[in-house]
């Protein structure tokens, strides 16, 4: 299973939030803002015979304007990567549709929304993309492109996830709650038949 962690790439520059004057200098790195491109690289590597370098994905993001807002718009970059690598692309907010998709052999990217009043985000305090590999209908198996030791031990996160590096497991209920303030909550990718 191919896994890429954005935190390993503080030396790769990634300009984003350009419509708002650009991100602060310390946030203009793959380590700070390339969770979406990292997820797409994992999708391509794990679902196709292709390979997508992170730097190439970041260049494509800039070329398409997927970096105009904070981070990366997978509404723009997702379909382009899917088309280039022979994958289907769809979105949903419905967990039942997500489960059916995963159980048919597809993969997905979840759009985690972070902290809000009365809720501590499991995967992020702000906004973050994670790759969903599979589900048994109860729990999800995830690759988190910003995993670091102790991340899921923070106050408000304890007991919500189980880590077996590089895999993170959580219940579908927890995943849905973590993405409930995002639209779409899930980006779906599958091999074209």
């Amino acid at each position: 299973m191919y896994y890429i962690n954005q935190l390993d790439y503080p030396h790769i520059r990634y300009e984003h939030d350009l419509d708002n004057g650009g991100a602060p200098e310390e946030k203009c790195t793959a380590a700070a803002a390339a969770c979406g491109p990292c997820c797409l690289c994992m999708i391509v590597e794990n679902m196709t015979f292709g390979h997508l370098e992170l730097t190439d994905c970041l260049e494509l993001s800039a070329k398409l304007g997927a970096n105009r807002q904070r981070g990366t718009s997978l509404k723009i970059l997702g379909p382009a990567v899917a088309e280039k690598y022979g994958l289907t692309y769809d979105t949903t907010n419905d967990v039942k549709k997500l489960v059916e998709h995963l159980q048919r052999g597809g993969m997905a990217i979840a759009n985690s929304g972070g902290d809000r009043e009365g809720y501590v985000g499991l995967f992020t305090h702000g906004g973050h993309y994670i790759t969903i590999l599979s589900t048994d209908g109860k729990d999800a198996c995830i690759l988190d492109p910003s995993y670091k030791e102790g991340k899921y031990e923070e106050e408000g996160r304890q007991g919500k996830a189980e880590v077996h590096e590089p895999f993170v497991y959580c219940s579908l209920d927890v995943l849905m709650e973590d993405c409930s303030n995002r639209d779409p909550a899930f980006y779906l990718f599958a091999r074209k038949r």
Side-chain angles (χ1 to χ4, degrees):
M1 186 61 52
Y2 179 73
Y3 171 69
I4 183 170
N5 191 317
Q6 70 189 84
L7 302 178
D8 293 336
Y9 300 95
H11 57 285
I12 295 179
R13 190 156 180 80
Y14 184 43
E15 300 279 350
H16 63 103
D17 207 13
L18 302 178
D19 287 348
N20 299 304
E25 187 63 28
E26 68 276 7
K27 298 288 186 184
C28 286
T29 68
C35 53
C38 285
C39 287
L40 287 169
C41 290
M42 289 188 273
I43 295 268
V44 167
E45 188 79 21
N46 292 317
M47 293 197 74
T48 75
F49 293 110
H51 176 76
L52 177 58
E53 286 289 335
L54 179 57
T55 51
D56 293 336
C57 195
L58 297 177
E59 286 176 19
L60 182 60
S61 176
K63 179 181 175 187
L64 296 173
N67 64 336
R68 302 297 308 174
Q69 299 297 315
R70 189 169 163 233
T72 307
S73 170
L74 291 190
K75 291 177 185 175
I76 297 170
L77 189 56
V81 169
E83 181 63 30
K84 182 174 181 176
Y85 290 93
L87 298 169
T88 63
Y89 167 88
D90 197 6
T91 62
T92 189
N93 294 321
D94 183 351
V95 73
K96 289 180 184 176
K97 185 174 178 181
L98 170 69
V99 168
E100 290 169 3
H101 174 79
L102 294 168
Q103 292 184 339
R104 283 193 314 267
M107 290 174 63
I109 297 175
N111 189 1
S112 182
D115 297 348
R116 48 202 176 267
E117 189 172 334
Y119 181 77
V120 175
L122 176 60
F123 295 101
T124 180
H125 293 297
H128 186 46
Y129 294 116
I130 55 173
T131 301
I132 310 171
L133 300 175
S134 62
T135 183
D136 62 2
K138 182 180 166 225
D139 296 317
C141 178
I142 293 159
L143 293 174
D144 179 355
S146 73
Y147 173 74
K148 62 182 177 183
E149 194 171 325
K151 178 175 182 175
Y152 299 107
E153 303 308 316
E154 289 183 21
E155 188 170 335
R157 293 178 172 173
Q158 306 96 332
K160 290 184 176 181
E162 185 176 325
V163 178
H164 299 275
E165 288 186 44
F167 307 106
V168 179
Y169 298 88
C170 74
S171 73
L172 289 171
D173 290 340
V174 167
L175 181 63
M176 271 306 300
E177 187 172 12
D178 221 54
C179 300
S180 65
N181 62 340
R182 296 295 193 161
D183 186 23
F186 306 107
Y187 299 85
L188 310 179
F189 299 85
R191 288 188 183 127
K192 288 184 179 174
R193 305 247 179 236

